[in-house]
Amino acid sequence: MRRVTRLATVAIASTALALSATACGKTSDSGSGSKEASAAIAYDIGGRGDQSFNDAAYAGLVKAEKELDIKGNDQEPSEGESDADKVQRLTELARSGNNPVIGVGFAYAPAIKKVAPKFPKTTFGIIDDTSVTGKNIANMVFNEEQGSYLAGVAAAKATKTNKVGFIGGVEVPLIKKFEAGYAQGVKDTNPKVQVLKQYLTQPPNFDGFAKPDLGKAAAQGQLDKGADVIYHAAGLAGSGSIEAAALDGKWAIGVDSDQYNQEGLAKYKAKILTSVTKDVSDAVFNLIKSVVDGKPQSGEVRYGLDKDGVGLSDSNPEYKKMTELTAAVDKAKADIIAGKIKVETAP
């Protein structure tokens, strides 16, 4: 397997650097004339090593390298970059022969809208966005609200103070889906439980997905108010909320990846009760495979509870011991899939 190329770097928190350092491969140029099939991803804010969203996309690329015999390439975002920077990045990747080219996150929508028509034979994937469409665009989206509902059920069952927290990275519609599902799951399980909510930044400031100190401060504020379970949907910034909860001996709920198993969060794993997972890894792999097979995906490709596209992890042995909690989560999952519970997508 050829290691994934890093074509740019970005300064990220020390917790991410440890993982990134071990994951980096040698630098090469996918446009060097090689006819080897290649695929590329362009990371969202926080970059590779965020222990969450971007790392899940990277895992899908690595899987494709191993199983599909393709070469993988990736590019990092730069701090405070513009849409023009994203246009240039995607253009480079497409011009170098990568197919597909995948933008990790809704922020790539304007860039893909401009670049995709210029490369009609290249498939472009975008995760978490359906606003930009085209014959050669695959929109990989998830029912985040469903997984978050299950997290709300778990939080309501685990709390001893009847106060739980939600920390959103940036107040945008996507993260509102996480909040809505979580709050509904809590309320449906135990109306007496109060949900403390906080967003770290407002657009166009996206530091709320990138700076762990912001997540840590927000979580500490909720802990001081009595919360004993805190769920974050804040990417790399959310690692700070996990740290704060763990150091206070309270429960944290992770997001996107199974954060209990993330190397950079190993010292806090005992207090990561569960994580709301999004199968970004398989979404990336499936798109690459569709191109390799000559039947590229296009249009909306949705992943929900019914396809295990979202879910709740059970890696922490302490979670498995909470039989009343796990039974409630299992019932809620079955009821959502059966249509007995309709989960809201906005608070």
Side-chain angles (χ1 to χ4, degrees):
M1 182 194 76
R2 293 175 111 173
R3 302 285 287 183
V4 174
T5 306
R6 296 196 65 158
L7 302 175
T9 58
V10 62
I12 56 177
S14 58
T15 54
L17 285 173
L19 179 64
S20 185
T22 61
C24 284
K26 62 184 180 181
T27 300
S28 62
D29 182 359
S30 62
S32 60
S34 170
K35 293 183 180 180
E36 181 181 12
S38 60
I41 56 177
Y43 294 116
D44 199 5
I45 297 162
R48 177 145 61 92
D50 67 349
Q51 322 291 333
S52 185
F53 187 56
N54 291 297
D55 281 354
Y58 171 67
L61 186 62
V62 172
K63 181 181 178 182
E65 283 192 301
K66 291 179 178 178
E67 298 186 16
L68 304 177
D69 193 26
I70 61 117
K71 175 185 174 184
N73 297 289
D74 61 350
Q75 282 199 12
E76 297 279 4
S78 57
E79 189 171 353
E81 70 180 19
S82 65
D83 285 339
D85 295 319
K86 291 183 175 66
V87 167
Q88 181 178 354
R89 181 177 303 122
L90 297 180
T91 300
E92 268 183 38
L93 292 171
R95 190 172 287 154
S96 296
N98 295 289
N99 188 19
V101 174
I102 302 170
V104 183
F106 62 83
Y108 278 95
I112 286 180
K113 185 176 182 179
K114 288 186 178 182
V115 178
K118 298 177 182 178
F119 297 90
K121 294 184 179 180
T122 299
T123 293
F124 289 82
I126 183 166
I127 300 172
D128 287 345
D129 180 85
T130 57
S131 69
V132 54
T133 59
K135 291 182 179 179
N136 62 331
I137 298 173
N139 308 87
M140 297 173 281
V141 290
F142 301 81
N143 293 117
E144 296 90 354
E145 72 283 357
Q146 294 179 349
S148 296
Y149 184 99
L150 301 185
V153 173
K157 286 292 186 180
T159 182
K160 295 179 180 179
T161 63
N162 278 355
K163 287 186 179 180
V164 300
F166 171 80
I167 295 174
V170 182
E171 193 167 4
V172 293
L174 173 66
I175 306 304
K176 287 290 205 180
K177 290 174 67 179
F178 288 88
E179 177 196 341
Y182 181 65
Q184 184 181 345
V186 170
K187 182 179 179 181
D188 287 355
T189 305
N190 186 351
K192 296 180 180 179
V193 177
Q194 180 184 1
V195 181
L196 307 179
K197 307 170 187 178
Q198 183 173 343
Y199 283 88
L200 302 180
T201 61
Q202 299 290 324
N205 180 357
F206 286 85
D207 286 349
F209 290 138
K211 296 188 174 181
D213 59 322
L214 297 178
K216 185 175 182 178
Q220 191 58 59
Q222 293 183 345
L223 293 166
D224 291 345
K225 293 177 182 177
D228 61 352
V229 184
I230 295 179
Y231 170 43
H232 84 87
L236 179 59
S239 64
S241 69
I242 290 174
E243 178 184 357
L247 292 177
D248 202 48
K250 304 302 190 297
W251 288 118
I253 296 178
V255 78
D256 291 337
S257 299
D258 182 355
Q259 296 199 291
Y260 179 86
N261 288 323
Q262 290 293 329
E263 183 179 346
L265 297 169
K267 65 169 66 174
Y268 311 121
K269 65 187 298 182
K271 298 307 297 184
I272 301 176
L273 178 64
T274 181
S275 297
V276 174
T277 57
K278 289 172 58 173
D279 203 353
V280 174
S281 174
D282 265 9
V284 168
F285 176 84
N286 290 341
L287 179 59
I288 296 172
K289 187 176 188 302
S290 75
V291 173
V292 171
D293 290 345
K295 299 178 181 179
Q297 293 176 338
S298 66
E300 182 179 300
V301 185
R302 181 166 294 278
Y303 295 87
L305 276 180
D306 58 337
K307 298 178 181 178
D308 290 323
V310 296
L312 210 60
S313 65
D314 62 357
S315 298
N316 191 331
E318 294 303 312
Y319 174 87
K320 295 177 182 177
K321 291 177 184 178
M322 301 178 183
T323 54
E324 184 180 338
L325 182 157
T326 57
V329 168
D330 289 344
K331 184 178 186 305
K333 178 179 178 179
D335 286 347
I336 291 171
I337 293 174
K340 296 178 181 179
I341 296 176
K342 176 176 171 52
V343 185
E344 301 298 326
T345 57

